[in-house]
Amino acid sequence: MTPDAHPSPAPPAEAVTTPGPAPETYTNPVLNADWSDPDVVRVGDDFYLTASSFGRVPGLPLLHSRDLVNWTLIGHALERLEPAAEFRAPRHDCGVWAPSLRHHDDRFWIFWGDPDQGIFQINAPEIRGPWTRPHLVKEGKGLIDACPLWDEETGEAYLVHAWAKSRSGVKNRLTGHRMHPDGTSLLDAGKVIVDGDRIPGWFTLEGPKLYRHDGWFWILAPAGGVESGWQGALRSRGFFGPYEERVVLEQKDTDVNGPHQGGWVRTPSGEDWFLHFQQRGPYGRVVHLQPMSWGTDGWPVLGADGAPVAVHRKPGLPPQPAAAPATDDDFPGGRFGRQWQWTANPQDGWATQHSGDGLRLACVRSADAHDLRKLPNVLTQRLPGTPSAVEVELTLHGEEPGARAGLAVLGDAFGWIGLQRGADGTVHLVHRFAEAVAEQERDADHPRLAPEGRVRLRVEIGAGARCRFLADVGEGFRSSGPVFAATPWRWVGALLGLFALAPAGPGHAGAATFARFRITDL
C-alpha cells in the first residue's frame, strides 16, 4: 500500500456547492461524469485522483478530496501531448490511457500507456507541479495501463502493464518488469505474470493496479470488458507469480453494469475504500466509491459482499462541504477554467485574453469546417451525468462569409446550434448535425435571421442523453429541430463544446465571444 507522507498544503477551493444525501451517507456515483479509469492516492489527510484524458489537452486531470466523496478539479499534470506534431489534430481514442498515480520519495508519480508509443512517466514535488516532461520508460505498440510499485521493505521497484490488441495483436495478459528505483528505466525484458487465457471464463484482463499487503503482491485488475465486466484480485508471494485469482466485485442484481477498474486507498484511521468506474454510454465512465475490507481468508471484499452499493455510510473522515468539479464559467479576462480541454494540442491565438469577461475565440480557418470531429480548436468539457440544461451567450464578430460559432454536443455523431455569417453580411441562427457515419454536417432546422449577431443558446439534456436544442435571438427561447441522441466516442463519453471557425482562405476571419456559461439541473 502507498505509505503515508506529510500532508500537502490544501489546494485552493474550486468547488461548486451541490445538494446531496443525508450527511452520514453518500450516493453513487460520487463523480457523475466521464472521469475514466480513475486511480487514487492518499498523502497525509488529502486524497488525489487522476483519470484517462486520451487525446484532450491539457491531459491527466488532478482532483482533490478530503472525504473521498466530494471532489474538486485542481489542475492537470500534462500540458501538451507528445510528440506535439502528432497531436495537432484530434486523435480521440489515442494519447493517455489508464494512468496510475503514486506518491514515493516525497514526489508524486504518474505512469500511463500511450497505445501507439509506449509507457510514459512524469513526476512532481507537489500535486500542482511543476511536473516533468513525459519520459518514455518502455517503447512499444499496444503497451497500456501501466502501474509502478516501490517495495518499501526491499527497496526494489516493479512495473506491470496490460496490452491493447488493436495495436499489438495481444490482450488478456499482464506483463511485469523489475524497474530502476528512479522510475526511468526497466531492468529486464519483462515476463507475462498473468495470462488471462489460462483463467477459465476470464477475458480482456487489463487495467492492473499493483500493491503490497500482508506479505503478498496484489494486482487489482478488471476483466470482462467495460460494459459487462467485473473486478478481479490476484495475489502471489513473489512479484513474477504464480498468481491466484478471485472475482471481488460484479454487477449481481444491481443496476451498476461492469463495475470495475480503479484504485484502492486507505484512510488515516485504517479504513479501506475502492474507487472504480461504470460505463454509461454517452455519459462516459462515471466513478463509484465502494467500501472495502479484508476477509478472514485474506482476500479483499468490495461493496456489499461483492456487489456495488448505491448508498452507503461515508468514510470515517472529518465532514466536508458538498462539492463537485466546477462546470460554470464567466471567462474572466478571457481565461477559461480548469474544466475545459481542447480536442488536440492548442495553438497560439485561438483564445485571446482581454480586460473584460467572456471567452473570445478566433474563427480559425479550416478545410474541415463541415465536421467538428476533425477540428482541434473545439474547447470541451464533460457531459453532465444527470438531466441538465446548458446555456451560453454568443456574439459573432467575424465579418467573413461562412464564419460561424456555436455550442455543440460532440461524439461519434454531433449536433450544434449557433450563428453563421452569410454571403450578404447577415447573421443567421443555424442548427446542424452529423450522424456517426456521415462525413459532413447538414441542417437540423431552417436557418433564421439573428439581426444583432447575438444569441442565447441552450441545450436541454434529458434521460438517455437525449438533447433538445433551443435559441433566443430576442424573442425568448424557441426549440430548434428534432431531439438529438448524444453518442460517445470509442472510449470517451460525449462532450460539450464551444467553437469558432471559418472556411479555408487567407487572412484573419474575425472572432466570437461566449459569456455566462451555465449548467443547471433539470
Side-chain angles (χ1 to χ4, degrees):
M1 192 60 192
T2 303
D4 291 352
H6 294 295
S8 295
E14 198 221 76
V16 291
T17 301
T18 57
E24 67 276 6
T25 64
Y26 69 90
T27 300
N28 275 318
V30 293
L31 285 166
N32 200 359
D34 187 22
W35 302 95
S36 179
D37 312 319
D39 194 26
V40 63
V41 69
R42 176 176 66 86
V43 180
D45 294 327
D46 296 286
F47 299 92
Y48 300 102
L49 181 148
T50 192
S52 295
S53 50
F54 299 100
R56 302 196 301 279
V57 181
L60 289 171
L62 300 169
L63 289 85
H64 170 258
S65 177
R66 285 285 179 92
D67 64 0
L68 292 171
V69 174
N70 296 285
W71 294 88
T72 55
L73 177 63
I74 60 172
H76 292 80
L78 190 62
E79 183 178 350
R80 301 177 74 84
L81 290 162
E82 296 185 9
E86 294 188 15
F87 289 94
R88 287 177 61 89
R91 301 177 67 197
H92 298 289
D93 62 348
C94 302
V96 177
W97 284 26
S100 293
L101 174 62
R102 294 292 180 265
H103 191 266
H104 165 73
D105 196 24
D106 293 327
R107 297 187 73 84
F108 289 90
W109 303 77
I110 300 179
F111 284 69
W112 75 92
D114 178 317
D116 300 303
Q117 300 184 73
I119 294 167
F120 287 94
Q121 168 261 106
I122 58 175
N123 60 87
E126 300 289 342
I127 194 69
R128 291 174 296 282
W131 290 87
T132 59
R133 288 188 62 177
H135 173 78
L136 187 62
V137 178
K138 181 181 180 181
E139 184 177 6
K141 295 282 188 180
L143 311 181
I144 58 170
D145 305 355
C147 183
L149 172 70
W150 287 270
D151 189 334
E152 302 298 341
E153 296 179 11
T154 65
E156 294 190 322
Y158 304 92
L159 183 82
V160 64
H161 70 82
W163 294 84
K165 187 175 182 179
S166 60
R167 273 69 165 189
S168 65
V170 175
K171 74 168 189 174
N172 205 32
R173 63 195 62 175
L174 306 179
T175 294
H177 292 268
R178 293 186 185 277
M179 182 175 70
H180 194 288
D182 69 5
T184 61
S185 61
L186 304 176
L187 302 180
D188 56 37
K191 175 186 175 182
V192 174
I193 57 175
V194 182
D195 185 344
D197 291 343
R198 296 179 178 271
I199 304 175
W202 283 43
F203 59 96
T204 317
L205 175 64
E206 57 188 356
K209 294 294 182 281
L210 182 60
Y211 307 93
R212 282 282 265 159
H213 173 68
D214 197 25
W216 296 87
F217 286 89
W218 289 91
I219 298 175
L220 301 183
V226 296
E227 296 284 355
S228 57
W230 58 89
Q231 180 65 35
L234 306 103
R235 71 180 185 181
S236 173
R237 290 295 186 185
F239 171 70
F240 287 102
Y243 283 83
E244 51 184 320
E245 80 286 336
R246 180 176 293 186
V247 175
V248 293
L249 185 70
E250 55 187 326
Q251 180 171 355
K252 295 191 176 181
D253 60 355
T254 74
D255 61 358
V256 181
N257 61 293
H260 68 270
Q261 188 156 337
W264 163 36
V265 69
R266 176 167 285 174
T267 69
S269 65
E271 289 184 357
D272 293 312
W273 296 86
F274 183 75
L275 285 149
H276 68 91
F277 78 69
Q278 173 199 11
Q279 172 70 31
R280 292 193 60 220
Y283 301 108
R285 300 174 182 181
V286 302
V287 178
H288 291 240
L289 177 66
Q290 302 297 336
M292 178 174 169
S293 60
W294 295 90
T296 56
D297 58 1
W299 285 87
V301 179
L302 273 60
D305 196 24
V309 301
V311 179
H312 194 271
R313 172 189 59 82
K314 284 185 176 181
L317 295 163
Q320 302 295 319
T327 56
D328 296 354
D329 206 340
D330 286 322
F331 310 109
R335 297 172 176 86
F336 49 85
R338 298 184 179 107
Q339 66 268 36
W340 298 97
Q341 296 170 290
W342 299 103
T343 47
N345 281 336
Q347 298 179 30
D348 291 340
W350 286 357
T352 303
Q353 295 182 10
H354 52 89
S355 59
D357 288 350
L359 175 69
R360 188 169 298 164
L361 294 182
C363 293
V364 178
R365 291 188 178 275
S366 174
D368 294 318
H370 57 278
D371 190 344
L372 298 184
R373 295 165 296 198
K374 297 180 180 180
L375 297 178
N377 57 303
V378 182
L379 196 60
T380 68
Q381 66 166 280
R382 293 159 179 82
L383 196 74
T386 55
S388 303
V390 182
E391 287 190 19
V392 70
E393 299 172 6
L394 167 63
T395 303
L396 180 64
H397 310 291
E399 299 292 336
E400 181 79 7
R404 70 202 72 164
L407 169 65
V409 177
L410 189 61
D412 279 338
F414 69 85
W416 68 273
I417 191 166
L419 299 177
Q420 178 168 323
R421 182 78 62 177
D424 61 356
T426 58
V427 176
H428 290 83
L429 174 72
V430 295
H431 177 195
R432 299 196 175 118
F433 77 101
E435 303 163 85
V437 296
E439 294 184 358
Q440 65 181 41
E441 64 192 24
R442 58 193 179 99
D443 286 328
D445 203 348
H446 296 289
R448 55 192 175 97
L449 282 174
E452 303 299 324
R454 293 194 300 269
V455 67
R456 293 169 63 208
L457 304 172
R458 180 179 172 97
V459 178
E460 296 178 350
I461 306 167
R466 294 174 62 81
C467 302
R468 179 165 293 282
F469 291 79
L470 304 96
D472 175 9
V473 294
E475 304 166 347
F477 278 112
R478 289 173 52 184
S479 181
S480 177
V483 169
F484 170 79
T487 64
W489 302 100
R490 186 176 182 187
W491 307 121
V492 181
L495 300 166
L496 299 172
L498 305 177
F499 69 90
L501 58 96
H508 296 290
T513 299
F514 295 87
R516 292 185 52 80
F517 184 92
R518 297 289 185 270
I519 298 180
T520 55
D521 293 336
L522 284 178

